[in-house]
Amino acid sequence: MAKIKISQNPTFKAKVAIPRVGADPVSVEFEFKYLDRLALAQYFDKWNGASEQHIKQVQEDGLTWQESTAAEIAIQVGQLKDIVHGWEFDEKLSDESLTALCTTCVGAPQAVLAAYQTAYQPARLGNS
């Protein structure tokens, strides 16, 4: 009988279609940090809390579009820092390169988060 370990690898890879303005998306391989269900839920709580705080700040403080966008980019950079371990981009993974990605590629943060979440979805079994 084959031996299979229950524990997961600490990282996994997935392709992400990074949207490009006026061009087709570019497929980039990302290496993600594996999180167990409880750790993943903790991050979702953290991210939801940051989003709720951002919405509250926009409503109460009347932020300008630029201030609101800068705050949203900061939230997205934090989300990607939590889950991305490496990538295929020429630029080395860093706070600055994550900020550049979130600033220049409007749909990139959502594409990365969606690819990460898709990796956690149970695989379809059989032909159903």
Side-chain angles (χ1 to χ4, degrees), residues 2-100:
K3 291 188 177 189
I4 300 171
K5 64 180 184 174
I6 292 173
S7 63
Q8 300 282 331
N9 293 326
T11 63
F12 62 92
K13 294 181 180 182
K15 292 282 188 179
V16 179
I18 300 295
R20 305 292 288 180
V21 175
D24 291 333
V26 176
S27 181
V28 177
E29 186 171 81
F30 276 70
E31 184 173 5
F32 292 111
K33 300 171 189 174
Y34 167 76
L35 299 170
D36 67 27
R37 291 173 66 187
L38 294 173
L40 190 59
Q42 183 178 10
Y43 276 121
F44 283 141
D45 286 342
K46 174 184 167 184
W47 299 344
N48 288 337
S51 292
E52 290 168 5
Q53 179 63 31
H54 174 66
I55 291 168
K56 182 178 177 184
Q57 188 177 19
V58 167
Q59 292 171 343
E60 292 179 2
D61 297 341
L63 298 179
T64 65
W65 278 102
Q66 187 173 7
E67 292 167 333
S68 178
T69 301
E72 185 176 317
I73 289 169
I75 290 169
Q76 293 168 336
V77 168
Q79 289 174 315
L80 298 188
K81 280 178 64 171
D82 287 341
I83 63 170
V84 175
H85 182 72
W87 60 20
E88 268 188 337
F89 285 116
D90 290 337
E91 293 83 2
K92 181 180 176 185
L93 179 64
S94 67
D95 289 355
E96 292 78 23
S97 61
L98 282 168
T99 301

Side-chain angles (χ1 to χ4, degrees), residues 12 14 32 114-122:
F12 62 92
F32 292 111
Y116 186 75
Q117 290 175 359
T118 297
Y120 279 83
Q121 293 176 355

